Amino acid sequence: MGILKLSELIVGQEADCFALLSIKEELTTREGKPFWKVGFRDAGREITSPIWDNSSWAADCRQHWAPGVFYKLRAVYRESNFGPQLDIRRIREVVEADAADGFDPAMCLPQSQFDPQQMFDELLAIARQRIANPALQNLVESILQGHRELLLRLPAARRNHHAFVAGWLEHTLSVTRTCVYLADKYADYYPQLKPPLDKGLVVAAGILHDIGKLREIDPQPSGTVYTAEGELVGHILLGRDVVRESPASAAVDADTRLRLEHAILAHQRLPEWGSPKPPMTPEAMIVHYADDLDAKYAIMAGILRDDNRAGPVTTDKNLLRQKFYRGLEA
Amino acid sequence: MGILKLSELIVGQEADCFALLSIKEELTTREGKPFWKVGFRDAGREITSPIWDNSSWAADCRQHWAPGVFYKLRAVYRESNFGPQLDIRRIREVVEADAADGFDPAMCLPQSQFDPQQMFDELLAIARQRIANPALQNLVESILQGHRELLLRLPAARRNHHAFVAGWLEHTLSVTRTCVYLADKYADYYPQLKPPLDKGLVVAAGILHDIGKLREIDPQPSGTVYTAEGELVGHILLGRDVVRESPASAAVDADTRLRLEHAILAHQRLPEWGSPKPPMTPEAMIVHYADDLDAKYAIMAGILRDDNRAGPVTTDKNLLRQKFYRGLEA
Amino acid sequence: MGILKLSELIVGQEADCFALLSIKEELTTREGKPFWKVGFRDAGREITSPIWDNSSWAADCRQHWAPGVFYKLRAVYRESNFGPQLDIRRIREVVEADAADGFDPAMCLPQSQFDPQQMFDELLAIARQRIANPALQNLVESILQGHRELLLRLPAARRNHHAFVAGWLEHTLSVTRTCVYLADKYADYYPQLKPPLDKGLVVAAGILHDIGKLREIDPQPSGTVYTAEGELVGHILLGRDVVRESPASAAVDADTRLRLEHAILAHQRLPEWGSPKPPMTPEAMIVHYADDLDAKYAIMAGILRDDNRAGPVTTDKNLLRQKFYRGLEA
Amino acid sequence: MGILKLSELIVGQEADCFALLSIKEELTTREGKPFWKVGFRDAGREITSPIWDNSSWAADCRQHWAPGVFYKLRAVYRESNFGPQLDIRRIREVVEADAADGFDPAMCLPQSQFDPQQMFDELLAIARQRIANPALQNLVESILQGHRELLLRLPAARRNHHAFVAGWLEHTLSVTRTCVYLADKYADYYPQLKPPLDKGLVVAAGILHDIGKLREIDPQPSGTVYTAEGELVGHILLGRDVVRESPASAAVDADTRLRLEHAILAHQRLPEWGSPKPPMTPEAMIVHYADDLDAKYAIMAGILRDDNRAGPVTTDKNLLRQKFYRGLEA
Amino acid sequence: MGILKLSELIVGQEADCFALLSIKEELTTREGKPFWKVGFRDAGREITSPIWDNSSWAADCRQHWAPGVFYKLRAVYRESNFGPQLDIRRIREVVEADAADGFDPAMCLPQSQFDPQQMFDELLAIARQRIANPALQNLVESILQGHRELLLRLPAARRNHHAFVAGWLEHTLSVTRTCVYLADKYADYYPQLKPPLDKGLVVAAGILHDIGKLREIDPQPSGTVYTAEGELVGHILLGRDVVRESPASAAVDADTRLRLEHAILAHQRLPEWGSPKPPMTPEAMIVHYADDLDAKYAIMAGILRDDNRAGPVTTDKNLLRQKFYRGLEA
Amino acid sequence: MGILKLSELIVGQEADCFALLSIKEELTTREGKPFWKVGFRDAGREITSPIWDNSSWAADCRQHWAPGVFYKLRAVYRESNFGPQLDIRRIREVVEADAADGFDPAMCLPQSQFDPQQMFDELLAIARQRIANPALQNLVESILQGHRELLLRLPAARRNHHAFVAGWLEHTLSVTRTCVYLADKYADYYPQLKPPLDKGLVVAAGILHDIGKLREIDPQPSGTVYTAEGELVGHILLGRDVVRESPASAAVDADTRLRLEHAILAHQRLPEWGSPKPPMTPEAMIVHYADDLDAKYAIMAGILRDDNRAGPVTTDKNLLRQKFYRGLEA
């Protein structure tokens, strides 16, 4: 039997799939009938099904199945009054040999629409072309290279925006591109600014503004969790730590390093959003706007994609607590 | 005697100048000695001097001199303990014939660093190239052309930012350029957005976001004043009126016109900044960010230029109520 | 069998009724037993009942019944553990001929306690007696007459207050009466005010303060919905549009029209409540207080009527987020 | 020489007047020339003049003149570059015998435009006619009668609004009249309210809402000062004390007394305005609106009377921190 | 059969217990099967069980069982898929004679960890040792003694903190001890303060700061409810009333009594927390900090005890709307 | 002639003093008469005097005198209409040999009332006795010892509180003592807390909470200035840096170090006061309250000492924007 993707099954189809057990909860109906609610997911779909107490899988489920573990399933995909369900025929944990059949843990998580490696390379290329100050360029490059493996898969958040594999890269590259545009533009507009706008610093701060997510977020296969220091300190301060602790920072002059640290600290602008200081330099101001628009635009796009309230506007029960407009035809 | 610019006089020099009487106030010293404080300005400098009661100009000043009137002066430029002063030798009102000697009322007001006509032409060119919808393009162009004379000199504000001749154009063109960049970028990033981002609408709203200043601001030669409807209604709503009252708006489809009106209304984002609704469309969101950054950057540049507090940071007694950093060497 | 009102049926009674299908949702019990939850309402009562999968109405319900449609029902009214239910015996869509039996779509919506036509006439009478300026009086009257049909049934809101047929009229008439009282009173108290209080303008603004609801609200028989421009622009600005677009506004002098527009814009006072400017004239200030009290009083009366928490105070889970007192005996 | 009112002198006129010494400050010019700034006032005008060190009044001023003391002056009223001034010819403290010449300390303080005794009588009459509950009526009347002497002259505030002799009465009577109107109106509008609106209680709370100013404010002839308990407790709580401590309150039933106390506590509505609870009864809600409008209207009228900024709107440097509109002709 | 505590039963055990019927709600399953949800509690455990319609207890439950009543039960304690349940064998209301078997209504409510009588005695002892001013000491003591019975069992709140029998005493004693420490400390640190810190007043205000809860809270055996005056006036003002109405307050000098009243009023510091004035004296400031820390610490300890979210931090769905840290091992 | 302290001179006395030139500003009178305003200060008094253009010191002042430099003066102390003034007879810069006559730069700055060395020793002693964890104790001690010289003179702020030599020590020792008390107390009150309160950590965080002021503040002899990193990063984050960069921190276990860093970050509690996270641990909560009370108490004591407004309360024009009570007799 062929191996298909869970998210590509059609109703009634029986197939083998690889999937992550993402949910396992013990529940009872109001009448006291106990059952397990289990969820299996790949990158494109998550399906929850009940395992009733009298099911042949009940004992197995209770004793062995574990959330965060990958399974190979043979199942029939059905529609029910509860929505889609899986009728499980066979199930076993994934083994190493499954890699030969195409198993890859990443296939069970949502992905960036862009290739992580290409995004990483482009970020590096921008750093090399746009940061004239060699010490600063070296600092940025050494931080990127030093965390390459993790950055290729780090999400930007658990839920808010770019909450998928390589979301950090997708968001950071987009912010950095806007930084390149705006730095060029405003350096031209205000040539008399003293000291002049440091265009390379805008780019460096754009690349590193969210680098603290390396320490705030722990991207498990079964989902993103926040670290203890992420909760007690927060990515904004942790990002400044990454810069300060990099051996390459010693070569950067004090004024530039202070401006870089400040731009990281100030990128959320408001204290209630986590920035202890507002942007106090032209460089920090540009990074804030490039970042804020990119995050809000992504959130809005997600709301417009997911909200299915009738009428021309979405509900305001969303992350931004406001309605969005879909158009007169919607 | 040659005619020089007031702002180019050097200490001790005597010359003829054209200048605007910008200030005339009757004051007394604490001992009861009365005097007139008068100010003369051109685009680059404003000089205030006392006219003492026993001065030969006292009667003339009291009875004839009027703020907002242009004068031809012969004067010596002096430094005093009060700062620079003018020692007036001759003074008369400007007459038509002075135009032949180079008088132009605009020479007494601060100017944009860019040529108004070129900016206007570029704005038109962007409208023609970037707004694909012909009815929308026509609406934008007809509004620009219909108010060409005023837009060539309209400031963007009395004080806050771009408070100079053609400040509206300088700010609007800068915002519109950013809109072009961001519209292209985000249309590429979110191709699946439904309905798709209307790039032409982003540009149209960028051009028209502040068009209500036409009705809010009255740019007198002697200074900018706010109109009654500017005070009681505000430029945000007045800008929507300009669009609604344009005969060219009838040809624009209802959905697009509503989105355009909304983007104008929402461009300040927060109700306490005057926007009754937050940006509820992708187009309005982009315009808000492009505008907000351009305004804040201009304010910050002004603060860094004007603040002369000692130390590495400016004071926070400014429009943004925060300190800005000048650098370790400052 | 006689035709009775749904809201007048008593337990065990079987009768024919006209009713609106207000709710139709597909649900399942936790055990997977599917059913339809359907609701029928008239002006005074809404009853929800399950249609089980094995009911004889199941197929009909699934395929044909539609929310927002009026039906003629023969049903028995029962009490159950789920609350009141309808045991349906016959059901068909309402047809034109049912009007002869007393069917009127309005009978299925909650109504003002006052007669719409009488309220409309009184509003007109107040306009004629209390607005001395003929151009202003004519403007108010022509707007009222021009939208007479809609105003006779327009609610003031979907939910907040006066959310019933002719709610706009009930609220507007009450506000206007208070405006008449307060305008007389404060004109007497502050005779030296410059310019003097324009009593007719207070009345005109009282009548028109919520006129934008004409464009914000779409009163469907099956319930009130908000229009796209209602969502993106809001009734406060749309009300000013109604005035500006009325041909009768041309005859009103500029100062009076600006004050009228301002009073409409400012009637909610705070930017976060939708008013871009606070009341800046005596007339606008009076209208704000008259409106605000009338709306809040109506909301409070509804809370005291509907809240059934035990003890002397209501819960604070209501629109005003505060508790209200019912008295020591409650 | 005839005795005239200070506020009726014309330029150049010499006359005898009674006046309060309202200001006495020792100052020096920047050059070190010392002088006394003294102010004399009656109800309609306050005039400040310098007493120079070499003046014949210098020693007398330094040693004897005291702020808060009444004087009989013979003086010439002059215009100077400092504004109006008094050229003092004779000066002595007021003596008892001056009463025969018309001296009355009240003549030196600004007064209500209405007669205090008439206002007091009308307030009593309203209490008698509009408070049906005899115990409540008696409570109100006994509080009014018990503080009659003070209430006839108490201002409503030092500065904010109704800051003049009998200002408390003027404001309270106005609020109470509005309460009568609104109580009648809303009792009719919501006949089904449970418990029904207590119209007499609305009136009683209108009369007593500011009664705590008796203990908060100390109206000295030379100006209003705040008492220690006014500063540390505030008039809202002190007003409830007045009610609780009145022997007449014992006869009022518990529910009514609690509602009355609550209406006094809640009349400012917001905690940051001093009300620990928002209006939680219909009675308290009406009193709040009647009071708030009356206070704000008085403040606005004062701003429109006093602000002399050029242009159609006032400055926003006032108690309400907003601009007001004077009209297109202003 | 022995009488055991409900909270000490083990699975499968049958025993007689005294318990409070704390919950009785009529519900139905989604299929329409009706049942009663009943809850029985003692101080350490609350158990909810269904009484099905066909149970032998159904009629008894429907007709006789009443929340807030104490029962003697014979029951088997079982674990089910719904959690713990009681299988009731016998049930009757508690009678007087049960006291002989150890019944005490207090045994069914959560208790302070400390002995109420000892805490009361210690509070008295502190008052006697630490309040040097005899009139003030007498006032405090007479209020404590006058409400001894109620204070021995009063909780500090229904839910927020110290919401158990004698919670008022536990919280008050803790606050008072901190007041003793801080008063000694800051009197030493700022010996030059004028007037000097009144250490006895700090202690008196610490003891009395929450005395208004006597009138705000009504501690029923079946749970804490708020009184009408608690809802409409609040414990902060009611506490000041208790002081003012105590006959012993007359002997206290005016300044001290005003400071005491103020410290009670100001103890929550912010108007939105119910204090109409902020702490304006050193004594009030110390009481505020001692109280605020004690309340917040208790809430935090409760959150850390009860929250069972996985990971190093708690959820932020709690009274303080923030996360707390449990440690890396948690 | 004997050397006296500037702050001990009496009127008319001539003496030699050491003083800091704290102010030098060039001003003119309104008539154009130029003068220098100069200020001399020692720890207890600051005296400003004019140096007129025609004074014999004018040239010297203009060319040589410099703010921040210490001078030996011979001067007569006079009262004038401008307040106290110095009539300078001789003036020269301080030289090394003046130390023999008792000159010490510290004598010109306000000092803590306690001996810095004793406070430092006590802080060390507390660390040794109260921090049981040896690695944590060592970290605290090594940081204190490593910055001993600076800490002996560091103020806690430029203006807000403890703005004098050794102000950091005075404030830190006071906070630490309160931490000792509260840690003991709450460890006893909540023995079941999990994990248990780390009393040593409370003390360590109390000692180090403001350690970042080392890098934020630059205590010059002529006054306190803020460093660039102080302005752009702030002492809260810089204090965490001090801990992280100490070699002794490596020996502290990860959980304890994270809690320590967090307590430093969270000690101001609110984001708008600079803390990016609120106190999320029991230790951080205690430190916050101990610090906040100590700072606010010091500010209040300063206001009560300095404010000289008449009446029972101070003005609210102070750092805390509220009035304070001085007592009925004041």
Side-chain angles (χ1 to χ4, degrees), chain E residues 28 82 86 112 134 204 206 306:
Chain E
T28 51
F82 300 98
L86 286 183
S112 170
D306 297 336

Side-chain angles (χ1 to χ4, degrees), chain B residues 53-130:
Chain B
D53 220 20
N54 55 1
S55 146
S56 57
W57 295 116
D60 207 17
C61 170
R62 173 183 302 263
Q63 293 160 33
H64 302 302
W65 299 0
V69 171
F70 296 95
Y71 291 88
K72 186 173 182 192
L73 295 171
R74 177 166 299 171
V76 186
Y77 177 77
R78 298 201 191 282
E79 285 289 350
S80 84
N81 284 311
F82 301 98
Q85 290 194 342
L86 285 183
D87 186 355
I88 298 174
R89 299 290 160 87
R90 295 190 193 169
I91 179 166
R92 67 158 170 79
E93 285 193 32
V94 161
V95 294
E96 261 189 49
D98 288 329
D101 288 342
F103 171 73
D104 176 358
M107 70 191 289
C108 294
L109 292 171
Q111 307 284 326
S112 170
Q113 56 178 325
F114 303 106
D115 179 68
Q117 187 57 56
Q118 282 186 13
M119 291 194 286
F120 188 87
D121 292 347
E122 181 170 349
L123 207 55
L124 267 185
I126 292 174
R128 286 172 187 152
Q129 292 158 21
R130 294 290 184 164

Side-chain angles (χ1 to χ4, degrees), chain A residues 133-147:
Chain A
N133 176 334
L136 184 61
Q137 189 201 108
N138 183 51
L139 171 64
V140 171
E141 184 165 348
S142 73
I143 289 173
L144 289 178
Q145 297 284 22
H147 301 91

Side-chain angles (χ1 to χ4, degrees), chain B residues 58 73 84 98 111 126 148 154 189 202 226 276 279 294 330:
Chain B
L73 295 171
D98 288 329
Q111 307 284 326
I126 292 174
R148 187 178 167 281
L154 189 69
Y189 256 92
V202 177
Y226 284 81
D294 199 68

Side-chain angles (χ1 to χ4, degrees), chain D residues 284-303:
Chain D
M285 184 183 276
I286 288 175
V287 172
H288 162 66
Y289 277 91
D291 170 53
D292 202 32
L293 171 57
D294 199 68
K296 296 293 195 312
Y297 202 94
I299 297 172
M300 176 190 63
I303 293 168

Side-chain angles (χ1 to χ4, degrees), chain B residues 172-187:
Chain B
T172 297
L173 180 56
S174 175
V175 168
T176 302
R177 283 167 171 163
T178 303
C179 283
V180 168
Y181 171 79
L182 292 171
D184 281 350
K185 167 181 182 142
Y186 282 107

Side-chain angles (χ1 to χ4, degrees), chain E:
Chain E
M1 185 159 291
I3 294 182
L4 298 182
K5 285 197 178 165
L6 183 66
S7 49
E8 292 172 354
L9 296 184
I10 59 173
V11 173
Q13 190 173 22
E14 178 170 351
D16 287 344
C17 317
F18 297 112
L20 173 72
L21 181 64
S22 51
I23 300 169
K24 178 184 165 190
E25 293 172 15
E26 187 170 13
L27 298 170
T28 51
T29 66
R30 200 173 255 173
E31 290 71 46
K33 212 170 132 191
F35 68 100
W36 294 89
K37 176 184 170 191
V38 296
F40 290 95
R41 70 170 304 162
D42 70 358
R45 180 188 270 165
E46 178 168 59
I47 303 174
T48 57
S49 311
I51 303 291
W52 297 104
D53 220 21
N54 54 1
S55 147
S56 57
W57 295 115
D60 207 18
C61 169
R62 175 183 302 263
Q63 293 160 34
H64 301 302
W65 299 0
V69 171
F70 297 94
Y71 291 88
K72 185 173 182 192
L73 294 172
R74 177 166 299 172
V76 187
Y77 178 75
R78 299 202 189 281
E79 285 290 349
S80 83
N81 283 311
F82 300 98
Q85 291 194 342
L86 286 183
D87 186 354
I88 299 173
R89 299 288 160 89
R90 294 189 193 170
I91 180 168
R92 67 157 171 81
E93 285 193 34
V94 162
V95 294
E96 261 187 50
D98 289 327
D101 288 341
F103 172 73
D104 175 358
M107 70 191 289
C108 295
L109 292 171
Q111 307 284 326
S112 170
Q113 56 179 327
F114 304 106
D115 178 68
Q117 185 58 56
Q118 282 184 13
M119 291 193 287
F120 188 87
D121 292 346
E122 180 169 351
L123 208 54
L124 269 184
I126 293 174
R128 287 171 186 152
Q129 292 157 20
R130 295 290 184 164
I131 307 177
N133 177 333
L136 184 61
Q137 190 202 108
N138 183 51
L139 172 64
V140 171
E141 184 164 348
S142 73
I143 289 173
L144 290 178
Q145 298 284 24
H147 300 90
R148 187 177 167 283
E149 286 313 309
L150 181 50
L151 294 179
L152 286 173
R153 57 195 177 85
L154 190 69
R158 182 166 52 187
R159 264 195 307 253
N160 291 1
H161 66 94
H162 299 88
F164 43 73
V165 171
W168 183 91
L169 266 179
E170 183 175 325
H171 171 62
T172 298
L173 180 56
S174 175
V175 169
T176 302
R177 283 167 171 164
T178 304
C179 284
V180 168
Y181 170 79
L182 292 172
D184 282 350
K185 167 182 181 140
Y186 282 106
D188 286 353
Y189 257 92
Y190 292 89
Q192 77 285 18
L193 196 71
K194 270 200 262 184
L197 181 70
D198 184 339
K199 299 201 289 183
L201 180 57
V202 177
V203 173
I207 294 174
L208 297 177
H209 79 283
D210 265 354
I211 194 68
K213 298 211 165 171
L214 275 171
R215 299 185 178 179
E216 182 186 50
I217 288 178
D218 182 8
Q220 302 290 342
S222 57
T224 300
V225 297
Y226 284 80
T227 63
E229 66 181 348
E231 298 280 10
L232 268 73
V233 176
H235 81 272
I236 292 182
L237 278 61
L238 294 172
R240 176 174 163 268
D241 292 348
V242 171
V243 168
R244 290 174 67 83
E245 295 169 14
S246 167
S249 73
V252 180
D253 65 284
D255 188 71
T256 299
R257 208 183 58 198
L258 180 56
R259 284 172 181 266
L260 175 60
E261 290 182 24
H262 173 74
I264 293 171
L265 286 181
H267 82 263
Q268 304 260 42
R269 188 166 63 99
L270 295 178
E272 58 268 36
W273 294 350
S275 280
K277 299 279 179 179
M280 295 167 68
T281 60
E283 295 85 9
M285 184 182 276
I286 288 175
V287 172
H288 163 66
Y289 277 91
D291 170 54
D292 202 33
L293 171 58
D294 198 68
K296 295 294 195 312
Y297 202 93
I299 297 172
M300 177 189 63
I303 293 168
L304 283 169
R305 182 191 63 218
D306 297 336
D307 185 287
N308 50 20
R309 180 174 177 265
V313 295
T314 68
T315 173
D316 59 3
K317 310 291 182 213
N318 54 46
L319 201 61
L320 298 178
R321 296 169 188 273
Q322 66 157 94
K323 299 173 181 177
F324 285 94
Y325 180 61
R326 277 187 297 251
L328 282 178
E329 306 75 24

Side-chain angles (χ1 to χ4, degrees), chain D residues 231-290:
Chain D
E231 298 280 10
L232 268 72
V233 176
H235 81 272
I236 292 182
L237 278 61
L238 294 173
R240 176 173 163 267
D241 292 348
V242 171
V243 168
R244 290 173 67 83
E245 296 168 13
S246 168
S249 73
V252 180
D253 65 283
D255 188 71
T256 300
R257 208 183 59 197
L258 181 55
R259 284 173 180 266
L260 175 60
E261 291 183 23
H262 172 74
I264 294 171
L265 285 181
H267 82 263
Q268 305 260 42
R269 188 167 62 100
L270 294 178
E272 58 268 36
W273 294 351
S275 279
K277 299 279 178 180
M280 295 167 69
T281 59
E283 294 84 10
M285 184 183 276
I286 288 175
V287 172
H288 162 66
Y289 277 91

